[in-house]
Amino acid sequence: MRSLDHIVRGFTATLAARAIYMITSALLMILLARVFLDPDGYGLLFWAIGVLAVVQLAADLGLGKSAARYVAEYGEKDPRQIPHLLRHVIGYKLVAITLVCIPLFAFAEPVAHLLGEPAAAPFLAAGALLVIAKSFDVFTQVVFQGFNRLVYSAVVRATGGVARLIFAVAFVMAGFGALGAFFGYVVGYAIAAVFGITVLYFQLYARHDPAPRMEPGLSRRLLEYSVPLTATRGANVLDKQIDIVLVGIFLNPAAVAFYTLAKQITDFVLAPAESLGFVISPNFGEGKATGEIERARELYETALSNVLILYVPAAAGLAIVAEPMVTLVFGGEYAQAAPLLQLLCLFVILQAITNVTSDGLDYLGRARERAIAKGGTSAANFGLNVALIPTIGVMGAAIATVLTHTVYVAVNLYVIHAELSLRVRQLGIDVVRVGAITGVMAGIVGLVAPSITSLPLLALAVLVGVGTWAVLVVASGLVRVREVRAVLG
């Protein structure tokens, strides 16, 4: 396993890149919602992106994650196999992308009519370009993760976020509306993909002297392991996007805008947990390969405790200030997103746990169990969305997300406990202490919240909550200032 210093450096780089990505995403979200697009245009844009995310499953499969797993493994035992791995996986990807993008471009208009959104036809036609660009953007990030070259992965992500903001705003200001914003996404992903592939080739692929031939059976194992990863990725995408697609089918673009906005805010909040999970996951595989299971367990328990310390209070505070925050930042016409955001704050906690758990299962060789759990809960999520959205509206999508993700998190924790033998009693004590801190902090923020009538007062309420949380976690011993200083210094 890599040293703690290596992990900290990787986490710092990844978090910085995610911060850049999320800040640019937040700026773009605010500009599109508040300045450039009305709720219908905003909803149509992200409905089309949601549909394309589902389509992209067939173009990506689980090839990137499978390649990352074997890159991590063979980087330890036979690095000369890595060039063969990369050549084969890129060849497979090119075949899959071709089979998906040609029909997507050719049948964009009838598909848009079939889904009840004829205005989305040009988005779906141009979506072939989005699928290609995003596929290689994500692929390079994941493969860099397998190499444990997290700085490269971080730079690719940050580059895409900045480029997307610049070009989306430029195209909208040029008068191309929501479709212009869509092409901004295409260009942003394309720039990140080209940069990532270039770095991958010159910094990693070209520096490995290939073996005379590929190890027998390795190509087959690469494809076989991609199957459960495809199922898991498919279930992840369905969880994140199918509800948006169904809201558009059953309701209207404005409802999509409200729901999408609430989910985008939760994505922004979850960036640190996603970064931590991305960084530590390869170390579980390395730890298992070298027999350092106890070290892997300590690493996971520390990560899990830290996300609970951060995210349980953060979710509670966000739920309390959700209504004034949405109306003050995005405008009164998006007020219907506030109750959705409040409910999705439960999802924030669940997803934070998932972010530091689920990827690690792939590197521990438990992708099959994860895929079964994700597939089952995603199917349930789809069914609940179909049942609830037509009857109780867009709130039904949020309810379905929270209920099904609760089950998925429970299964993930059970499987990783079976693999690492977690110290359940100590984790339980930490949960109780975090709950007490959250209760005190929420009470104080709740007293301040009714007076929030402007952005400065909103910022003040957030600072009160953060300050209260900081004092309580230090006083309780959950966070030790000396250890934090040691890590930072």
Side-chain angles (χ1 to χ4, degrees):
M1 289 178 64
R2 303 300 175 112
S3 68
L4 179 60
D5 286 343
H6 178 87
I7 294 172
V8 170
R9 285 195 301 271
F11 175 66
T12 302
T14 304
L15 185 58
R18 296 287 167 101
I20 294 171
Y21 184 86
M22 296 309 295
I23 289 170
T24 56
S25 297
L27 286 172
L28 182 57
M29 182 171 62
I30 293 169
L31 289 171
L32 292 178
R34 192 176 183 95
V35 180
F36 296 120
L37 303 177
D38 59 18
D40 286 337
Y42 193 86
L44 182 61
L45 168 64
F46 288 103
W47 183 84
I49 290 175
V51 171
L52 291 167
V54 177
V55 172
Q56 188 153 6
L57 288 173
D60 288 347
L61 303 175
L63 292 169
K65 291 295 290 291
S66 184
R69 182 263 171 106
Y70 284 105
V71 161
E73 179 180 330
Y74 280 84
E76 294 290 323
K77 67 180 188 180
D78 188 2
R80 296 193 306 160
Q81 292 294 328
I82 289 176
H84 296 297
L85 273 170
L86 293 177
R87 281 200 304 269
H88 275 72
V89 76
I90 290 176
Y92 296 143
K93 279 185 67 65
L94 289 173
V95 172
I97 287 171
T98 300
L99 293 175
V100 169
C101 290
I102 291 176
L104 175 62
F105 178 79
F107 299 105
E109 188 166 348
V111 169
H113 280 82
L114 180 65
L115 295 177
E117 290 290 349
F123 293 87
L124 299 184
L129 297 174
L130 183 74
V131 168
I132 297 169
K134 187 175 181 181
S135 181
F136 282 102
D137 173 18
V138 174
F139 171 75
T140 56
Q141 291 183 52
V142 172
V143 172
F144 286 141
Q145 183 192 28
F147 277 106
N148 232 321
R149 299 298 185 91
L150 299 167
V151 173
Y152 293 156
S153 183
V155 174
V156 172
R157 189 174 183 88
T159 299
V162 172
R164 189 179 63 183
L165 171 64
I166 292 171
F167 285 96
V169 171
F171 292 154
V172 173
M173 292 182 67
F176 296 108
L179 188 60
F182 181 87
F183 273 102
Y185 275 74
V186 173
V187 174
Y189 286 129
I191 290 173
V194 170
F195 175 78
I197 291 171
T198 303
V199 173
L200 179 62
Y201 179 81
F202 287 105
Q203 295 297 320
L204 298 174
Y205 175 86
R207 292 189 176 186
H208 283 90
D209 186 24
R213 62 190 181 91
M214 191 173 193
E215 180 182 300
L218 180 54
S219 179
R220 173 183 53 80
R221 295 199 304 274
L222 177 72
L223 288 174
E224 286 178 349
Y225 198 67
S226 74
V227 173
L229 292 170
T230 299
T232 302
R233 175 170 166 75
N236 275 330
V237 171
L238 288 177
D239 263 356
K240 292 181 178 180
Q241 303 294 343
I242 199 64
D243 44 4
I244 294 173
V245 174
L246 291 173
V247 168
I249 291 173
F250 289 124
L251 301 177
N252 53 62
V256 174
F258 303 142
Y259 186 66
T260 300
L261 187 66
K263 291 194 77 172
Q264 287 172 331
I265 294 171
T266 65
D267 288 343
F268 183 83
V269 174
L270 284 162
E274 187 180 358
S275 300
L276 181 59
F278 190 84
V279 170
I280 67 173
S281 295
N283 294 276
F284 296 142
E286 293 177 8
K288 186 174 183 179
T290 57
E292 298 179 87
I293 294 296
E294 185 174 349
R295 174 86 185 279
R297 180 185 67 191
E298 292 175 355
L299 177 63
Y300 175 74
E301 288 177 344
T302 300
L304 180 60
S305 295
N306 286 337
V307 298
L308 291 175
I309 292 167
L310 176 63
Y311 278 99
V312 174
L318 180 60
I320 293 170
V321 302
E323 185 174 354
M325 184 195 73
V326 169
T327 55
L328 289 171
V329 175
F330 299 99
E333 58 186 352
Y334 287 92
Q336 293 182 53
L340 294 168
L341 177 58
Q342 289 172 326
L343 181 56
L344 288 175
C345 284
L346 295 173
F347 170 75
V348 167
I349 300 172
L350 297 168
Q351 186 61 37
I353 297 172
T354 299
N355 283 342
V356 296
T357 306
S358 56
D359 275 2
L361 295 178
D362 293 341
Y363 284 93
L364 288 167
R366 303 298 291 265
R368 180 177 178 273
E369 291 85 347
R370 181 190 172 200
I372 292 171
K374 196 62 179 174
T377 54
S378 294
N381 185 43
F382 178 84
L384 284 173
N385 272 289
V386 171
L388 296 178
I389 293 173
T391 54
I392 62 175
V394 69
M395 187 65 75
I399 292 172
T401 295
V402 171
L403 290 178
T404 55
H405 211 75
T406 300
V407 176
Y408 178 62
V409 168
V411 174
N412 269 353
L413 290 174
Y414 174 81
V415 174
I416 204 163
H417 174 57
E419 193 72 28
L420 300 179
S421 299
L422 304 178
R423 292 170 290 191
V424 177
R425 183 175 179 274
Q426 183 57 51
L427 289 172
I429 292 172
D430 288 346
V431 168
V432 171
R433 294 161 76 187
V434 169
I437 289 171
T438 301
V440 175
M441 187 215 70
I444 294 174
V445 175
L447 294 174
V448 178
S451 63
I452 300 175
T453 57
S454 64
L455 286 174
L457 290 175
L458 173 64
L460 178 62
V462 171
L463 289 174
V464 168
V466 171
T468 303
W469 168 82
V471 170
L472 291 173
V473 295
V474 172
S476 67
L478 283 172
V479 173
R480 295 175 176 84
V481 176
R482 184 176 299 175
E483 292 180 3
V484 174
R485 286 176 179 170
V487 170
L488 295 178

